[in-house]
Amino acid sequence: MADTPRLALCVATVGRITELDRLLTSLERQTHAGFHIYLADQNAPGVLDSMLARHASLPLTRILLPSRGVSAARNHLLPLVADEEILVFPDDDCWYAPDTLEQVVAAFRRHPEAGAVLGFWTSSPQAAPPSNVERQLSAAALFSQGGTCVQFYRAQVVKGLRFDSRLGPGTGLPYGCGEDTDYLLEAHKCAPVWRCPSIRVFHPSPDTHVPSDAKIASYAASRMYLLKKHAFPLWFRCANVLYPLCMLPMDALRKGRKAARYRWRMFVERLRHFSS
C-alpha cells in the first residue's frame, strides 16, 4: 500500500439532496484527504447542481444515468475508478466521522491479508461501538454485519467484480436489497474480511419506521435468493427463516405491535421464498 493510499468513493444517488449534502460535508472534514468521489446521479438533470456547487472543492466525477437501480449505477462507476487502492460504496444517506477514512487506511495496514474491512455504524455520532475487538468474519457473519455503508475494499482484490444487477432497489425485480451482501460474499471468497469497529459510519436508524409489506417481501426474497446463490447449508437457510419468528415475542414486548407484525411478515415471506 502506498504511503498515502487513495480511496475511490462510488456513490449512487436518487431523490436525496439533503442526505447527499450531509455526506459530502462530512467528506470535506476528513483527516485523510486522499480520495476521489465518483457520483452516479440518477435524478432528473439539474436537480443536484446547486447543492454540488457548494462542494466544488471536493474531487468529484459525476455521470448522469437513468434510474434503473443501485447495482447498475455502481457498475457504471467502476470502470471510471483510476488507480485508487481502496474502493468504497457509501450510501447516499450515510455520513462519516472526521477520521473515518484515516481509520480505514490504518485498518488495512494492520490487516495486510484483508480483502475488505467493515466498520461500525450507528445513527448517533455520540454512540460508542459495543466492542473495540477486531476479528475476522465468517461468510455467515456477513449477513448481519455487512451493510453497504460500512464496507471498504482493497481494490486489487475485487478488481473485475461487479454487482448483481438483479439485486437492489430500483431494478423493478422482486429482490429489493442484498446487492451489498452479495458483493461482500464474492469478495470474501478471494480474501479474508475483518470487522474493525474503530471505523465509524453514521446512518439513519431503520427502527424509525416499519417497512411496507411490499418492501418486507422484497427483503425476504433477496435474502433467500442469496442463501441459495451462495450455496449456504440447509440448516443455515432454515435458521434464517425461523429467526424473525424467534425475535417476534421480544420485539413485541420492547417495541410494540408494529414491530411484532414486521417480524411475522418477514417470517411468512422468507418461508414463502424458501423453496422458490
Side-chain angles (χ1 to χ4, degrees):
M1 187 178 286
D3 290 340
T4 308
R6 291 182 55 78
L7 297 88
L9 280 65
C10 298
V11 185
T13 187
V14 62
R16 287 175 172 162
I17 302 174
T18 303
E19 294 88 346
L20 182 62
D21 183 36
R22 178 176 58 190
L23 171 61
L24 296 179
T25 299
S26 75
L27 291 174
E28 289 172 333
R29 297 169 179 167
Q30 290 302 297
T31 54
H32 180 91
F35 62 87
H36 191 96
I37 304 161
Y38 297 89
L39 183 67
D41 181 358
Q42 298 177 288
N43 296 284
V47 167
L48 296 182
D49 288 358
S50 60
M51 185 272 290
L52 291 177
R54 296 197 297 272
H55 301 283
S57 63
L58 286 171
L60 187 148
T61 300
R62 175 169 60 154
I63 60 171
L64 300 176
L65 294 173
S67 183
R68 292 178 182 164
V70 66
S71 291
R74 289 175 180 154
N75 287 341
H76 271 90
L77 291 175
L78 285 170
L80 303 179
V81 174
D83 56 355
E84 291 90 354
E85 295 175 81
I86 297 171
L87 187 57
V88 193
F89 301 99
D91 290 337
D92 59 359
D93 60 344
C94 80
W95 69 104
Y96 289 166
D99 68 344
T100 295
L101 298 186
E102 182 181 340
Q103 291 292 340
V104 170
V105 171
F108 275 113
R109 293 200 191 284
R110 288 194 299 274
H111 305 290
E113 79 288 2
V117 296
L118 305 183
F120 160 77
W121 82 264
T122 174
S123 59
S124 170
Q126 286 74 44
S131 168
N132 286 319
V133 176
E134 297 187 347
R135 61 191 180 93
Q136 191 172 323
L137 298 178
S138 67
L142 303 183
F143 277 91
S144 60
Q145 302 190 47
T148 319
C149 65
V150 299
Q151 298 178 10
F152 303 87
Y153 294 92
R154 198 181 298 274
Q156 188 59 37
V157 170
V158 295
K159 188 176 182 180
L161 184 60
R162 295 293 183 266
F163 285 87
D164 186 335
S165 59
R166 292 165 291 188
L167 292 170
T171 64
L173 297 173
Y175 311 115
C177 68
E179 77 292 341
D180 47 1
T181 307
D182 179 65
Y183 194 92
L184 187 58
L185 287 166
E186 293 292 348
H188 184 263
K189 295 173 184 176
C190 302
V193 175
W194 279 79
R195 172 80 156 171
C196 301
S198 60
I199 302 168
R200 295 178 298 157
V201 178
F202 309 119
H203 192 282
S205 172
D207 290 338
T208 56
H209 69 281
V210 177
S212 65
D213 284 355
K215 188 168 278 193
I216 293 171
S218 74
Y219 289 171
S222 302
R223 172 63 64 98
M224 304 316 293
Y225 169 88
L226 279 179
L227 292 173
K228 283 177 268 191
K229 176 180 178 179
H230 292 277
F232 279 89
L234 179 61
W235 72 264
F236 188 70
R237 290 166 56 194
C238 291
N240 270 263
V241 172
L242 294 173
Y243 177 78
L245 194 61
C246 296
M247 290 296 295
L248 192 155
M250 187 184 304
D251 275 4
L253 289 172
R254 285 175 23 196
K255 301 177 183 177
R257 220 159 148 192
K258 288 184 178 179
R261 183 181 182 280
Y262 165 76
R263 292 295 186 183
W264 174 253
R265 292 301 311 165
M266 184 61 76
F267 163 69
V268 169
E269 292 297 337
R270 287 186 182 183
L271 182 62
R272 184 165 72 88
H273 290 283
F274 180 76
S275 57
S276 60

